[in-house]
Amino acid sequence: MNMGRMLDDFEDILIPRRTEISNWVWALRHLNPVLPCAENKIYTPEKIKLEVLRSHKIVTLIDRESQNDFSKEHIINKILDILNEIGYCRSVLTLRILAFFLAQITTRICQGIYVNKHAVDKLKTRMGNIRIMYVPSHRSYADFILMSYVLYHYDIDIPAIAAGMDFHGMKGMGTVLRNTGAFFMRRSYNSDSIYWDSFREYVHQLVTKGDKGIEFFVEGTRSRTGKSLYPKFGLLTMILRAYFNSEVPDILFVPINISYDRIMEEKLFGFELLGVPKPKESTSGFFKSLSIINENFGKVFINFGDAISAHDFFNGKIDRSCHNLDPVYLRKITESERRATSLLAQKIVESQQKLCTVTTFNLISTVFANNLNLWQTSIDVNTLLSHVKWMDSILRNFGAVCDFDGTIECLLNSIEVHHNLIRWNTKGECYLVHDAIDLRNVDKTKMKGHQLSEKTMLNAVPLVMLQLYVNPILHYFINPAIVVTILRRNYSKRHKDKLLDEFNFLRSVFAREFVLFPENSTRDFIETLDRLNELNSIDIDGNLISLTTDNDLYHLFQHILEPFLLTYYILCNVLTNANLRKETESDIISETQKEIEKLFNDHINEYIHPYSLSLDTISNCLQNMVDLKMIQKIKRDETYFYQTTLYLIENLRNQICDYLLYIPKGNINKSICKL
């Protein structure tokens, strides 16, 4: 096995940066970037703002608002202030300087940046007269920086990049980001209709008048877990408005997956998931983070997928002619267009997942996590190599692309990159590192959830960090894990229809945890049975299905869901508590973490995975209960309260209890549980 055969369409774009005389020569080269929509009249950033002001929508807005107590001049000045806050700029000099420094930094901290060149070349052939939206996965702050670096390398025009207001407030850095194409959006608009309409029209003008692409994250924010997040529809809907109104013939959405050997924010995310607030973005914090130049972050894989054409995707799903009778600026998104937008977001996320590159450390982490469930805290290097090879073969069977080349050198190199998490000793045994966690700067009084003890934090953080490298590949395993979780309750045969019902139930429970869409449930069920049958993990006798004899794959799948099931189970207990049936989100989260910490510290004979303490999982469960109408989310004075429908939560708790390997004693009537 070799990396070239497994990733034969990828090239390391750092190779020329390492061999040239000076990176300045590359950064200062003559630029003739390919434009996505070169046929458009060139609109400068300032002209885009003027087009917003001249648009019928904003003119109507000014007339409407000026009928109140404000003059037209006041309203216009307010809109100009908003546009100046939002709008991107473009400085070629800034781009060149950043390109040079990025070349210097990446060649020092990365072993390689591997890009699917074939897909990039294919995309470039479609450029010239089409609107292009770049939609990368979002796992790190480095995502949009690397995207610009890659496009600069391939001489593709840098797009306008949607960025959060967190960066806008960074002194100096906000200006630098704006000059490289960032436009800024607030996380919430509240009741400020002037801001909302101005931002929406600004995006509309970028789509209809701009010659550049737009880059945005369909997930809305960074995933702190390594898993895909449930997509957001706001910005996507704004972009599609031009297509729905027939103002542009087509829009191409390019799904992109950015896979990291090692995430720069791994420790930060580990703390955040347990409740430590993230530090506020600041310029001083940015310069402190430059200490990373002394670290080794291994490889980065950037995989461009096939562009999704809006015209092709929406064909037969919507009727754009329904807008013909209304002026463009008065047209509203129809319900069928909203549903179709949701399906497009779903397709983008699924495409990003399929474009994932499985790193060697993803394999190592999954092996380690599985062994810890079996109380194996260390593993011989040669045994680890054997297990990683096995895990690699399983993932390839599920369609994954892996960078593991099968050698002990590749394995040891990956462990060296992650020496802060896993090391090997003189006996050749690999073990999880617990002594690298520093709690001195953690202010426990500001914890978002329960104030976890120092003992819990020291034990939990390394394991939570390890899980960050298991999570990116769970989308390959989640459906098989659900089937095995159902079948393991007993070894009797299960009718296919009954199995599908339970499969759909667990998918609905974990819909936000693993981004599972009901539209794909039957298809995924059939594919999962086929895969498990190929792996000899199940027996299919007509419509009757059962597990085969106990094996390593069975143990792997039965442990994957356990930390999530336990969190959901404890949360249900908390919600059925008479004193917490109508409480704030923070109260419920805190109480849930408190109960899980008790289990974590008290039940020393049962393995309680500390990832069960994750605030992200608790929040996902709460949101999904709202989606399933089991609880009602009520907002009062900027605070959210949850009102529980008791019998629905009790039913969910009892059903989850059926699937747990370990049932916490004293929390539920055991007669209900049928394991």
Side-chain angles (χ1 to χ4, degrees), residues 351-366:
S351 297
Q352 289 175 343
Q353 290 179 330
K354 289 176 182 177
L355 294 166
C356 166
T357 301
V358 177
T359 70
T360 302
F361 198 70
N362 291 143
L363 302 172
I364 293 171
S365 300
T366 307

Side-chain angles (χ1 to χ4, degrees), residues 181-365:
F183 66 96
F184 299 96
M185 57 187 299
R186 298 176 188 173
R187 294 293 182 192
S188 62
Y189 309 105
N190 296 321
S191 58
D192 190 344
S193 62
I194 294 179
Y195 180 88
W196 167 257
D197 286 339
S198 299
F199 183 84
R200 187 162 47 184
E201 187 60 29
Y202 181 81
V203 172
H204 184 69
Q205 293 298 329
L206 286 180
V207 176
T208 56
K209 302 283 189 358
D211 57 348
K212 308 177 187 307
I214 296 176
E215 179 186 326
F216 71 101
F217 301 108
V218 74
E219 297 166 293
T221 186
R222 282 180 304 168
S223 169
R224 270 78 170 163
T225 65
K227 295 190 275 89
S228 295
L229 300 180
Y230 205 82
K232 302 289 197 311
F233 308 122
L235 189 53
L236 180 60
T237 303
M238 293 180 206
I239 289 168
L240 285 169
R241 175 184 158 205
Y243 175 75
F244 291 150
N245 290 341
S246 301
E247 294 175 86
V248 297
D250 199 3
I251 302 174
L252 295 184
F253 293 87
V254 184
I256 301 160
N257 184 285
I258 305 177
S259 302
Y260 294 91
D261 203 342
R262 179 182 170 191
I263 306 168
M264 288 187 290
E265 302 98 325
E266 60 180 3
K267 189 175 290 186
L268 179 69
F269 288 168
F271 279 111
E272 277 189 54
L273 290 174
L274 294 174
V276 178
K278 74 168 186 173
K280 185 178 179 181
E281 283 77 17
S282 65
T283 304
S284 61
F286 168 77
F287 284 110
K288 286 179 183 177
S289 70
L290 291 180
S291 61
I292 64 169
I293 62 175
N294 298 316
E295 295 285 339
N296 177 2
F297 289 91
K299 303 167 187 172
V300 181
F301 300 90
I302 303 177
N303 197 359
F304 285 68
D306 290 332
I308 302 168
S309 159
H311 179 271
D312 294 344
F313 183 83
F314 291 119
N315 187 29
K317 294 184 178 72
I318 61 171
D319 178 14
R320 293 192 290 168
S321 65
C322 68
H323 296 294
N324 291 347
L325 297 178
D326 297 319
V328 171
Y329 69 97
L330 291 179
R331 295 174 186 174
K332 303 203 180 284
I333 301 296
T334 66
E335 189 56 40
S336 64
E337 288 168 347
R338 291 187 193 282
R339 288 195 298 270
T341 299
S342 173
L343 292 175
L344 176 60
Q346 168 185 327
K347 184 173 178 62
I348 291 170
V349 171
E350 286 185 327
S351 297
Q352 289 175 343
Q353 290 179 330
K354 289 176 182 177
L355 294 166
C356 166
T357 301
V358 177
T359 70
T360 302
F361 198 70
N362 291 143
L363 302 172
I364 293 171
S365 300

